[in-house]
Amino acid sequence: MKATPAASVVVILLVVATHPSNGVKVWVPHVSFSDAANWVSANLPTAGQTIVFPSKLNALVSFPVGIWTVSSLILPQQGGLLFPDHSFSLNVVSRDPAAISVAIFNAPGRTPYYSGSNWATYDEQRSTHSTPNAAVPHSERVPCQYELVVFEVGKNMPKPIDMQYHESIEVGNVRFGDTIEGLDSFHNFMSSELGQFLFYNAEDTLIRQGKCANADKCPCQEPRQMDAICSNVRCTVPHCLSPIHPPGHCCPICGSWFRMDMATIKGVFNMQTFMDKLRRKINTGEVDDSGVEFHIGVDRSAGANVVQLIIVDKGEYGEKSTRMMDSLRPFFEKQFSSGFQVTHAGQPHTPLEGGQLLAFVMLTLIVASTFFSIIYVYYYDDVLLPRLRAAVRNRQFFTTPFVFARFDPNNDVDGLSVDVTYPSAVQLANEEREESAALADDVENHHASSFNNPMYEKPAPKVDPAMEVFDDVELLVK
């Protein structure tokens, strides 16, 4: 009679053990009254201050337990304040207006539902949350169609969630705090007055059961959900020669990637045992695992059933993931005789950004144009090059037909100065007699010449050569 209950307990434990959980995703961002970062002054309110909430709070804020003394409390027009139902007291005291200081609460923004950085995986055995690392595919960072979604409510309230007008959210189940559980109850809460302060752009969004409830047979996300997830991901240029793009990742990444199709495995294959062995191998291997991050999972997209290991470097890519994957190759060869594939991202490489690429193209065009111009001038131009050669030969780089230089009219040291002083009347008479005598002596052999002053733009008048009177101008050199 006493053995029956024990047997029943054993049977129940065995049944539970043979049906593992499909996974739990927990919403991470919260709005906390006790977080100094949520206040304009970056300090928590003190006793006697005036606490001001913005008129458009658009969120739910929960007051912490305790005794609070304020001079006044300014409530929001859009939003809600939740007060504890026990161990809480709010005292309003009057003070001199000149001595009253103000504490202003920041209005929290909203963040997308389909953003992997907003979710954490809950480990029920360890009761811990683990945020996804860079190796986890984006499709597995948000709740899968067979997972339980949890919004924790306690001292803090969830940060407002933007549903981004998506048609539907497909999950296994939803739990909001300790009072709301189930898809129908949660959908009714979203439509309520309080729910609209937490879930925005969700008027036409349906919360429904995923098409597949078995994690061992179905992909985590449908293609439509993948489009919504990747719309919230900003891809950066990978700094490697051959980036890899594992299924579920929205962007190419640098790292190493192992794939093994389970349909080609001969014999019995235990996925959990393989994952445990692989984790121990990575943690105890010769290659230091502190510089890498890895993810072990199964790719079931598009009907596939492929075991995959993704290893990436922490921080900047430096081929640590490649060395780690190469150290695991003997383990893979022992587990699988053949059929597995290993892909590396190659050597580190920093591609040119948009501005750098434009500058490189312009510099290349300038260099190429200069080069071909020199070739053309050297072989085909018969005007410019001879002139350049003559200028080099005559050293006339900086000379022109007319050179004007400054000079001192009274300086005769150099022997080239010109006397431009105005002579007296006696001197003019003597000079005229000397010129007349010299003209009479050399009239037969003297050839008169004239020139136009380049500094004088007025053209010389036209005179009949037969009637022209020639005047010789002589520059005296002292």
Side-chain angles (χ1 to χ4, degrees), residues 11 13 31 37 39 79 162 205 225 244 251 261 272 290 307 324-325 330 352 390 452 465:
V11 171
L13 290 176
V31 178
W39 296 89
D162 188 0
T205 301
Q225 275 72 27
I244 61 176
C251 313
D261 191 353
Q272 189 61 44
S290 61
V307 180
M324 173 63 75
M325 186 66 76
L352 296 176
N452 291 329

Side-chain angles (χ1 to χ4, degrees), residues 202-364:
E203 294 82 1
D204 300 326
T205 301
L206 299 177
I207 307 298
R208 59 189 182 188
Q209 187 82 31
K211 297 181 176 63
C212 181
N214 191 342
D216 296 332
K217 297 181 179 180
C218 307
C220 178
Q221 306 290 346
E222 296 292 335
R224 179 166 49 84
Q225 275 72 27
M226 278 300 305
D227 294 338
I229 294 171
C230 293
S231 66
N232 295 304
V233 177
R234 183 178 179 181
C235 297
T236 58
V237 179
H239 289 183
C240 50
L241 289 176
S242 303
I244 61 176
H245 199 165
H249 273 274
C250 296
C251 313
I253 59 175
C254 297
S256 195
W257 179 25
F258 164 85
R259 288 175 59 85
M260 180 64 195
D261 191 353
M262 288 194 286
T264 62
I265 299 176
K266 299 179 180 180
V268 179
F269 176 74
N270 190 310
M271 181 62 185
Q272 189 61 44
T273 303
F274 171 75
M275 293 173 63
D276 294 339
K277 290 182 178 180
L278 185 56
R279 287 193 180 94
R280 288 195 301 267
K281 199 69 178 177
I282 294 175
N283 296 330
T284 61
E286 297 179 356
V287 179
D288 185 14
D289 64 334
S290 61
V292 299
E293 295 175 329
F294 66 92
H295 170 73
I296 308 171
V298 180
D299 172 29
R300 294 189 174 90
S301 60
N305 194 21
V306 179
V307 180
Q308 63 178 4
L309 168 65
I310 304 171
I311 307 178
V312 299
D313 291 33
K314 287 183 180 179
E316 187 176 357
Y317 177 67
E319 294 187 277
K320 296 179 182 179
S321 55
T322 301
R323 292 191 292 270
M324 173 63 75
M325 186 66 76
D326 289 338
S327 68
L328 297 174
R329 187 177 290 272
F331 171 76
F332 295 142
E333 293 175 350
K334 183 178 180 181
Q335 295 292 323
F336 316 105
S337 57
S338 61
F340 64 87
Q341 300 176 357
V342 175
T343 306
H344 298 315
Q347 298 179 352
H349 170 65
T350 302
L352 296 176
E353 301 294 338
Q356 295 175 339
L357 181 61
L358 179 61
F360 177 77
V361 172
M362 294 299 295
L363 180 60
T364 303

Side-chain angles (χ1 to χ4, degrees), residues 36 99 113 144-145 236 277 297 329 365 395 412 452 456 464:
Y113 174 90
C144 299
Q145 61 175 330
T236 58
K277 290 182 178 180
R329 187 177 290 272
L365 290 176
R395 299 182 180 179
D412 55 356
N452 291 329
Y456 185 71
D464 188 359

Side-chain angles (χ1 to χ4, degrees), residues 359-377:
F360 177 77
V361 172
M362 294 299 295
L363 180 60
T364 303
L365 290 176
I366 293 174
V367 173
S369 301
T370 304
F371 174 77
F372 286 108
S373 298
I374 294 174
I375 296 297
Y376 172 79
V377 169

Side-chain angles (χ1 to χ4, degrees), residues 63-70 83-92:
F63 263 79
V65 297
I67 300 175
W68 290 89
T69 302
V70 298
F83 298 95
D85 55 0
H86 62 84
S87 304
F88 175 77
S89 176
L90 181 64
N91 302 324
V92 180

Side-chain angles (χ1 to χ4, degrees), residues 31 33 39 51-54 57 59-63 73-84 88 90 105 157 194 197:
V31 178
F33 182 94
W39 296 89
I51 298 180
V52 179
F53 288 93
L57 180 62
L60 298 179
V61 179
S62 177
F63 263 79
L73 180 64
I74 309 300
L75 302 178
Q77 295 181 357
Q78 298 180 11
L81 301 181
L82 305 179
F83 298 95
F88 175 77
L90 181 64
F105 191 83
M157 294 298 294
L194 288 179
F197 290 129

